[in-house]
Amino acid sequence: MGKYPRSRRTFVAAWVLLVLGPLVQGEEILRLTNGRQIAVERYWEEDDQVFYEKNGSIFGFPSRLLERVEAGKANPAEASHDDASPGLRNEIANETLREARERAREGHAVAAADRYREAIRQAPEIVGIRMELAELYVELGDLAAAEYELERAARLAHGDALVRERLGDVYYARGRTAPAIREWQAAHLDNPGPALLFKLKRALRENNEDIDFEARDPARFVIRYEGRVDEAMGRTVAVALEDAFAELAREFGASPARQFTVTLYTNREFRDVTHAPTWVSALNDGEIRIPIEGVTTMTPKVRRLLRHELAHSFINALTAGNCPSWFHEGLAQLHEGSEGLDPYPRLTAAQSDGKLLPLWTLEGSLTHYSKEEALLVYSEALAATEYVAVRRGREAHTQLLRLLAQGRKMDDALKQVIGLDYHEFQAAWEADLHRYQAGGRR
């Protein structure tokens, strides 16, 4: 597939300026006990929870927080606080968007893509920015990245004909004729036109399979609120999780085929429910549990936290739960998307004092450690996991995960992948720590 026609590119750019704010208004209004409201496409009740679907994710909150349900459109003046005042966020995103377009006009496509991604981080629900970035990816020849952005745009725009047509174009260009037909047919039903009809008929002639045009992917994330409902933050978390999922799937080379539950707590309820020590900032016990009290925007810290906990879910799925805690935490830190802590000053000091812990003692739960002990444990986990890659490359992480998935013990897996048993690996890793003292991390 070539570049999009110039007239359509202009339309996409104009659309961004018109859509700086919530895109979809629901048909039913959930009124909460705190006076706020949520516009939803549909909702249902299970046990003591109310669930609703929005922007491709499912959200839920305790029934006691629901006052009543009304038909009709939401009153913007009463909406969730983040929706009521999006001006500053959108003004910042607009400035970044202008920078992205300027770089694109100057022919600096890679720099433009970076600014588009920054604009998306600033305003993740604005569909048009993702559309423009997808177009840029098409021009760069990165159809996989374009497909990802358009799939996210399709979820956010809830079947907008233009988005679905573009998504169909990219599917078709990647040889995915069946989903291309599905998107084009849906787009044609909403906005028929001769050009779209021509593409649809051509693809139908090429494809002999029976296609379920109405098939839709189930929501990947169920976001639950405990204590209080912050719908704007919940939607922001859902978008960040979708982005993190795509990135982690590429990094791990696989993705879990399951639905994830993410529960957002107040700080007090997080401690009361999980009984986690005070140094624990989030928990993943099969369900991702995160306290977000006082957080109103997607900060780099929260984004890293979400990636870290989602990485745990990937590791659990890829190993069927058979992964020692130190390797679990080491991989999650490597994949959380930041430099994170530098473990080596702490480790070299502990080594001098003879306080390093054997890795085979760190296979179970780590929550019984004090804060200082936990910092040492997490430092060891990160450094030892990095050392695996130093010895055999990053592919060694994948090889270890595969062996663990077969039910192998870590001692056996290390011997097969690295050629060292637990004790030999510990000795080699400790012997190499001095290399990091002067020059920092490799």
Side-chain angles (χ1 to χ4, degrees):
M1 184 182 70
K3 299 179 181 179
Y4 295 140
R6 175 62 59 179
S7 61
R8 290 191 174 185
R9 295 179 63 188
T10 303
F11 175 72
V12 171
W15 189 30
V16 176
L17 299 177
L18 295 173
V19 188
L20 294 179
L23 290 169
V24 179
Q25 291 190 342
E27 297 179 354
E28 294 180 289
I29 307 302
L30 306 183
R31 290 201 174 271
L32 309 180
T33 54
N34 64 359
R36 289 183 179 168
Q37 60 178 349
I38 304 173
V40 301
E41 301 138 37
R42 66 188 187 97
Y43 80 97
W44 63 97
E45 297 188 44
E46 293 180 14
D47 300 325
D48 61 347
Q49 292 280 312
V50 176
F51 292 94
Y52 62 93
E53 189 169 2
K54 198 166 188 177
N55 294 344
S57 294
I58 294 173
F59 302 83
F61 58 87
S63 300
R64 58 183 169 79
L65 300 180
L66 177 65
E67 182 176 289
R68 65 183 185 276
V69 179
E70 298 177 353
K73 293 185 177 181
N75 178 1
E78 300 175 6
S80 180
H81 63 89
D82 196 52
D83 286 344
S85 55
L88 178 59
R89 181 190 65 193
N90 292 335
E91 183 179 342
I92 295 171
N94 258 330
E95 179 59 33
T96 308
L97 183 58
R98 281 191 285 272
E99 294 174 5
R101 289 171 176 166
E102 183 176 350
R103 283 166 173 73
R105 283 194 299 270
E106 294 170 349
H108 304 305
V110 175
D114 180 69
R115 300 312 295 155
Y116 274 117
R117 286 191 292 268
E118 178 60 27
I120 289 172
R121 282 191 286 271
Q122 292 164 350
E125 295 183 9
I126 299 178
V127 173
I129 302 178
R130 292 183 184 272
M131 296 271 293
E132 290 194 33
L133 177 56
E135 177 187 356
L136 184 62
Y137 279 138
V138 169
E139 295 178 358
L140 288 171
D142 191 347
L143 295 179
E147 178 181 304
Y148 168 72
E149 294 300 338
L150 287 167
E151 286 179 340
R152 290 295 306 126
R155 283 181 178 271
L156 291 167
H158 286 276
D160 177 90
L162 178 61
V163 178
R164 300 197 77 161
E165 181 179 355
R166 294 293 192 276
L167 181 56
D169 291 344
V170 172
Y171 280 151
Y172 186 77
R174 299 196 71 197
R176 303 183 62 193
T177 308
I181 292 172
R182 181 189 67 206
E183 299 302 323
W184 283 340
Q185 190 196 51
H188 189 264
L189 288 173
D190 288 342
N191 187 26
L196 179 55
L197 183 60
F198 172 81
K199 290 188 288 189
L200 182 56
K201 287 182 176 180
R202 178 186 60 187
L204 285 168
R205 285 195 301 269
E206 295 173 0
N207 194 82
N208 296 319
E209 299 176 14
D210 291 329
I211 301 168
D212 180 3
F213 293 108
E214 297 306 316
R216 295 188 58 121
D217 296 331
R220 182 175 286 125
F221 293 98
V222 176
I223 313 294
R224 295 179 56 202
Y225 307 96
E226 289 293 340
R228 67 184 182 89
V229 177
D230 186 342
E231 195 215 2
M233 191 61 198
R235 293 200 313 272
T236 302
V237 165
V239 172
L241 285 167
E242 287 284 358
D243 290 344
F245 184 93
E247 293 165 0
L248 290 171
R250 288 193 293 269
E251 293 169 14
F252 280 101
S255 57
R258 51 159 291 195
Q259 192 174 67
F260 299 91
T261 298
V262 181
T263 303
L264 309 179
Y265 294 90
T266 63
N267 293 337
R268 178 177 179 179
E269 286 187 324
F270 176 75
R271 303 298 169 195
D272 289 346
V273 171
T274 65
H275 304 291
T278 55
W279 57 264
V280 172
S281 55
L283 198 65
N284 189 329
D285 55 5
E287 178 177 321
I288 297 174
R289 304 176 186 274
I290 299 178
I292 62 163
E293 187 172 1
V295 179
T296 58
T297 59
M298 181 52 60
T299 65
K301 179 179 178 181
V302 175
R303 192 179 299 277
R304 289 196 301 270
L305 191 63
L306 291 171
R307 281 181 58 93
H308 183 104
E309 298 306 325
L310 189 56
H312 280 309
S313 294
F314 270 71
I315 297 162
N316 270 330
L318 295 175
T319 63
N322 180 40
C323 185
S325 291
W326 70 264
F327 191 46
H328 234 305
E329 291 298 343
L331 284 174
Q333 289 178 82
L334 284 177
H335 286 278
E336 70 180 26
S338 69
E339 289 297 323
L341 65 91
D342 180 354
Y344 297 102
R346 179 174 284 103
L347 292 177
T348 52
Q351 185 182 42
S352 298
D353 295 338
K355 294 183 178 180
L356 286 178
L357 301 170
L359 293 172
W360 54 88
T361 67
L362 306 178
E363 290 204 342
S365 173
L366 306 179
T367 57
H368 62 281
Y369 289 101
S370 68
K371 181 178 180 179
E372 284 303 312
E373 291 169 335
L375 285 171
L376 175 61
V377 169
Y378 276 67
S379 296
E380 286 198 30
L382 176 57
T385 305
E386 285 186 328
Y387 189 65
V388 170
V390 169
R391 294 289 300 235
R392 289 292 184 269
R394 279 293 183 102
E395 177 60 25
H397 293 159
T398 302
Q399 294 169 348
L400 287 172
L401 291 173
R402 288 172 182 162
L403 291 171
L404 293 169
Q406 297 169 13
R408 305 283 287 275
K409 293 183 178 180
M410 195 60 174
D411 187 62
D412 294 334
L414 286 170
K415 282 190 283 189
Q416 182 164 333
V417 174
I418 300 178
L420 304 174
D421 65 20
Y422 243 148
H423 291 79
E424 293 167 336
F425 176 76
Q426 179 91 15
W429 166 67
E430 288 190 23
D432 269 1
L433 277 177
H434 70 279
R435 299 186 186 184
Y436 298 92
Q437 292 179 0
R441 296 170 68 176
R442 287 182 283 192

